[in-house]
Amino acid sequence: MTEVATSEVATSTRTVNTIADLRAVLDERRRAGASVALVPTMGALHDGHLALVRRARELADVVVVSIFVNPLQFGPAEDLDRYPRTLDADVAALAGLGADVVFAPDVAEMYPSGSAAGTKVSAGPVGSRYEGAHRPGHFDGMLTVVAKLFSIAQPDVAVFGQKDAQQVFLVTSMVADLDLRLRIEVVPTVREADGLALSSRNRFLDERERVAALVLAESLDAARTSAVDGVSELLAEGVAAFGDHDGVDLDYFVVVDPDTFLPVDDAFSGRGLVLVAARLGTTRLIDNAFVEIGTDAGADTDAGADTDTGADPGADAAADAGAELPPSPAE
Ligand SMILES: Nc1ncnc2c1ncn2[C@@H]1O[C@H](COP(=O)(O)OP(=O)(O)OP(=O)(O)O)[C@@H](O)[C@H]1O
Ligand SMILES: CC(C)(CO)[C@@H](O)C(=O)[O-]
Ligand code: BAL
């Protein structure tokens, strides 16, 4: 076997920092017949990430977790510099779950000619909507690093979180469009007890913002409850949930067809996916939930805890319903 520089964390978890070392470790395991699962992350791990790792552990013989804060997916005014970096704690948590390899390259290893230079993957039209409208270039940068990680690790399966729904759609599309030879596994959103979706960025919320952040899950609950009455009602109630929350700026609240990721029209019925994004001070959060529209089946998935909607019946909700509101100047 090629000699590999590693640091042992637990008996069987290794951290590798170079592409060559990761390939050497995985090639040896694959030659022995092992299957490989990859969990791509940007670190600052929380229970949402750990759910992906647990799922990966069930799916393959070797679990690789990548930790790389990818500059290519951050805009110039975004939070690249303040994005949390907690590598030692991350590696300890992963060792506790029996992950086999932590891949933690630096920027020069991933982008030797600089992150602005070189070939990029284009996310296509859906990449410019919703998150992409507010974070221009984000999805091209995300797909580029994910394609590189797939090429480097050559996993049989890669595990992603439903919390980043548009990311899941675009990664799945890339795998199909480029005939990549792996399977994408999606894990439901992990939430705090009160319904807030776990996110590395939650740590930036102050006490007041943490309370106000619940409105995202509440708006999804409101949408789910009113979905039986159709798309317009769902959107009106979802947006109305933001009516009495000062200090929360709604970026978008839309319902899309999960198969196309395009907004549904008013007559749509069946399974829809509601996407929401909002800013609280300098922190931007996203969330989503599947809903069953026009039937009384209710939501079928991982939407937030069963909280009150907080909707203000008097709010001028309908005016903004379904709108992709103009992008904010900066995060
Ligand atoms: N609450 C969650 N439940 C399930 N999966 C999650 C959750 N949060 C993040 N993930 C998934 O973990 C993977 C890595 O995400 P990432 O490192 O960007 O963390 P994050 O918490 O989403 O950070 P941020 O939202 O601040 O960007 C992605 O596939 C993402 O969807
Ligand atoms: C998939 C990913 C690791 C690519 O940098 C990132 O977008 C994330 O953490 O969701
Ligand atoms: N969680 C998706 C990665 C990002 O926000 O850049």
Side-chain angles (χ1 to χ4, degrees), residues 42 68 70-75 110-111 115 119-123 127 135-149 167 170 174:
M42 301 205 303
F68 179 63
N70 173 35
L72 215 55
Q73 69 189 68
F74 287 79
M110 290 297 277
Y111 300 115
S115 54
T119 306
K120 293 191 184 65
V121 177
S122 166
R135 305 183 63 185
H138 166 66
F139 286 120
D140 291 359
M142 180 279 293
L143 288 181
T144 301
V145 83
V146 168
K148 282 173 68 74
L149 291 166
Q167 172 168 283
L170 291 170
M174 176 178 75

Side-chain angles (χ1 to χ4, degrees), residues 215-248:
V215 68
L216 278 85
E218 289 170 356
S219 72
L220 295 174
D221 281 344
R224 175 177 49 183
T225 305
S226 49
V228 65
D229 296 320
V231 171
S232 305
E233 189 63 17
L234 173 170
L235 291 170
E237 290 299 319
V239 173
F242 286 85
D244 57 2
H245 282 272
D246 283 343
V248 184

Side-chain angles (χ1 to χ4, degrees), residues 19 52 62 70-71 77 99 116 140 157 177 180 189-190 197 205 296 301:
I19 293 167
L52 309 192
V62 179
N70 173 35
D140 291 359
V157 59
D177 293 345
L180 303 184
T189 303
V190 178
L205 302 170
D296 52 12
T301 79

